[in-house]
Amino acid sequence: MTSATTAVRVRGVAKSFGGTRILDNIDVEIAAGTVHALVGENGAGKSSLGKIIGGYYTPDEGQVEILGRAVARFSPRDALQLGVAMIHQELQLAPELSVVQNVFLGRESARAGILVKGDMARFEALEKTCDFGISPLARVATLRIAERQKVEIMRAIARDAQVIIMDEPTSSLTEDEADRLHEVVKRLKSQGKTIIYVSHFLDHILANCDNVTIMRDGRVVRTSPIAGETKKSLVDSMLGQEAEILYPALPAAPAGDVRPVAELRNVSTDAGLSDISLSVRPGEIVGLIGLVGSGRTEVARAMFGADRITGGEYLIEGRRSEQRLSVRRAIASGVALVPEDRRKQGLVLTQPTRFNVSLGTLGAISRFGILGTSAEVRRTREMIKHFGIVPAAVDGRVARYSGGNQQKVLLSKWAVAKPRLLILDEPSRGVDVGARRRIHDFIVDMARQGVGVLLISSEIEEVINLSHRCYLLSDGRIFAEEPASSLTVESALHRVFLEQNSHRNRQEGAAP
Ligand SMILES: Nc1ncnc2c1ncn2[C@@H]1O[C@H](COP(=O)(O)OP(=O)(O)OP(=O)(O)O)[C@@H](O)[C@H]1O
Ligand SMILES: [Mg+2]
């Protein structure tokens, strides 16, 4: 790379945790004013390298140079002073504070979340740049994960950083929102800023980055201009072998008259769903397609007993529950949910891998009230092997696992439990191509064993290829049902956009 100035230079950097070398002899040069991608499998070391550049981890060996200045031990605060900000993969916001407080948190003007005059105006200016449409006064705890991700992005921009590390910035955004983020990235670049962009979405990388560094097992495979790369060349280098990106074959769909494992009849909820009717039969994979905010996650929550059903009927195995459905009762009836926000809802981060894997089945494994430790260990070993969980330690500390490996642990929990209805909300978010394929195989395998699967994903391609049947949602309602084979990504996207627009127009027409 022959750019006039180098924004970040990493030389001979190594880092170990507990005797395991997670970064080894890393050399990377990032030219100022470019968008530089980091790609690699789960656990390759992308986030760790980002944290070294952002001052969160201190290298054991080697040097880091930021905007021409060599830095040795430096904290995130020092990094910020030097002009480096990091947007973390696992979001780090203060949930009890408002959006605007979070955006300016840690800056001189807003110590401890106290706003000063001008912050509101500054927020509005920022919102003009980003066009994310987030209300400044909303409490972050009430925001959906996609919105929280946007708040993190705004915060990094608000800090006026010269170098912004974005770790999986689009992992919970829709294509539309991702496009908008990429516009922001372009604008930042045109202002001379440098973006380090970590992602598993290779299409996004090919379309928006200038250069790419491919990592594998804590080392740099190569750094090259994106112009010479293809999806296949990236994947092959990430895996160190030739790979094919395909979806597994689905088992045959169950007959239409088989009794559903779960059925919603004209259901409304206090979370904004109205008149939802859908069914999932044993062995069937049913997809939900809709934009963010269309109610996909709310359907999952209602079926898991997390949101209150205010009208209509919910039948599990043909039975209507007598009492109000709670999460506990849903689980007891065989309903499982892999939530989109794994850190908050899915994992017990203070506990080791084996605890998390057996969480869904404590009843099955424990006898006489004592955990059957050997059974637990055996199952955990199986799952580690099955999903390729790294580190492959039964007693591994889940809190420190890379994002993709946490997701695998979460899935293991339900693979062991074998529910009747498995609801998956963004199951392959943030996982690499290899793990993604394993997760797809897992979904198909569950269906083959007779589990009914409800699949939610922002990636329409994934839903269409892995489902038998799909429901299309917009504004909390289902407006169409189709066999997956009759849909294409373009046709489905077109229809959800069209529906959303016509809904908005109807609403505007109805307003006084
Ligand atoms: N603080 C830590 N303590 C112990 N191990 C760590 C720590 N941080 C990272 N690791 C380990 O370093 C390795 C690289 O993790 P890292 O998070 O950098 O991967 P990644 O490439 O970002 O993966 P993903 O795509 O899943 O996010 C993993 O094996 C992880 O468990
Ligand atoms: Mg990571």
Side-chain angles (χ1 to χ4, degrees), residues 17 22 41-48 57 89 200 391 400 402-404:
F17 282 109
I22 60 152
E41 284 191 280
N42 293 134
K46 305 175 298 290
S47 296
S48 301
Y57 287 170
Q89 181 173 13
H200 289 289
R400 293 191 174 158
S402 76

Side-chain angles (χ1 to χ4, degrees), residues 3 5 7 30-35 162 188-190 192-195 210:
S3 171
T5 47
I30 296 171
T34 63
V35 184
Q162 290 308 304
L188 292 169
K189 180 181 152 180
S190 74
K193 314 229 162 171
T194 308
I195 314 286
D210 300 301

Side-chain angles (χ1 to χ4, degrees), residues 50-228:
K51 285 177 189 168
I52 294 230
I53 297 168
Y56 292 85
Y57 287 170
T58 306
D60 301 334
E61 290 168 31
Q63 290 105 35
V64 179
E65 225 177 274
I66 291 169
L67 300 165
R69 289 173 61 182
V71 286
R73 295 186 78 84
F74 67 121
S75 67
R77 192 168 274 274
D78 299 334
L80 209 51
Q81 218 99 63
L82 289 165
V84 182
M86 180 161 185
I87 301 168
H88 288 269
Q89 181 173 13
E90 308 299 349
L91 306 180
Q92 301 194 329
L93 297 169
E96 293 314 314
L97 298 181
S98 69
V99 167
V100 61
Q101 281 170 320
N102 267 283
V103 166
F104 296 115
L105 198 65
R107 282 200 349 180
E108 289 306 312
S109 69
R111 277 251 165 96
I114 298 158
L115 290 179
V116 297
K117 212 169 118 217
D119 275 349
M120 247 1 210
R122 270 195 286 277
F123 182 87
E124 267 157 37
L126 201 58
E127 174 60 28
K128 275 219 184 75
T129 316
C130 299
D131 194 21
F132 284 153
I134 314 181
S135 147
L137 297 177
R139 213 160 50 92
V140 163
T142 65
L143 297 183
R144 313 177 41 78
I145 185 157
E147 278 153 352
R148 279 186 249 153
Q149 201 153 40
K150 294 185 210 163
V151 177
E152 281 263 5
I153 293 162
M154 291 177 92
R155 176 155 74 158
I157 298 172
R159 291 175 167 194
D160 205 23
Q162 290 308 304
V163 178
I164 301 178
I165 305 157
M166 299 186 171
D167 197 352
E168 300 270 349
T170 61
S171 60
S172 61
L173 303 185
T174 57
E175 279 297 312
D176 191 39
E177 291 173 310
D179 286 349
R180 231 170 300 153
L181 172 73
H182 294 136
E183 287 302 314
V184 174
V185 166
K186 261 197 209 108
R187 219 166 305 148
L188 292 169
K189 180 181 152 180
S190 74
Q191 295 164 7
K193 314 229 162 171
T194 308
I195 314 286
I196 300 175
Y197 188 98
V198 183
S199 179
H200 289 289
F201 291 105
L202 301 180
D203 292 326
H204 291 174
I205 285 181
L206 290 168
N208 297 289
C209 298
D210 300 301
N211 298 297
V212 58
T213 294
I214 303 165
M215 298 181 71
R216 186 168 71 234
D217 295 333
R219 293 163 187 262
V220 170
V221 178
R222 69 183 139 89
T223 298
S224 45
I226 210 76

Side-chain angles (χ1 to χ4, degrees), residues 30 72 80 201 229 292-293 296 325 354 370 396 400 499:
I30 296 171
L80 209 51
F201 291 105
E229 300 287 346
V292 158
R296 296 176 317 197
L325 186 74
R354 73 185 156 93
I370 308 162
R400 293 191 174 158
E499 181 66 24

Side-chain angles (χ1 to χ4, degrees), residues 270-350:
D270 60 1
L273 296 181
S274 55
D275 203 22
I276 297 278
S277 294
L278 67 79
S279 61
V280 183
R281 289 188 276 271
E284 189 182 32
I285 307 174
V286 173
L288 293 186
I289 297 176
L291 305 171
V292 158
S294 62
R296 296 176 317 197
T297 295
E298 286 72 13
V299 170
R301 290 177 54 87
M303 296 182 86
F304 193 56
D307 287 343
R308 201 180 147 89
I309 293 177
T310 51
E313 281 188 306
Y314 178 18
L315 289 84
I316 302 174
E317 300 274 357
R319 277 191 308 274
R320 203 199 142 137
S321 98
E322 290 302 320
Q323 292 144 299
R324 178 161 122 58
L325 186 74
S326 62
V327 170
R328 176 185 280 267
R329 217 166 268 136
I331 292 174
S333 314
V335 182
L337 170 70
V338 177
E340 70 177 327
D341 187 353
R342 59 184 169 259
R343 264 180 106 89
K344 258 184 70 185
Q345 300 170 21
L347 293 172
V348 182
L349 292 174
T350 51

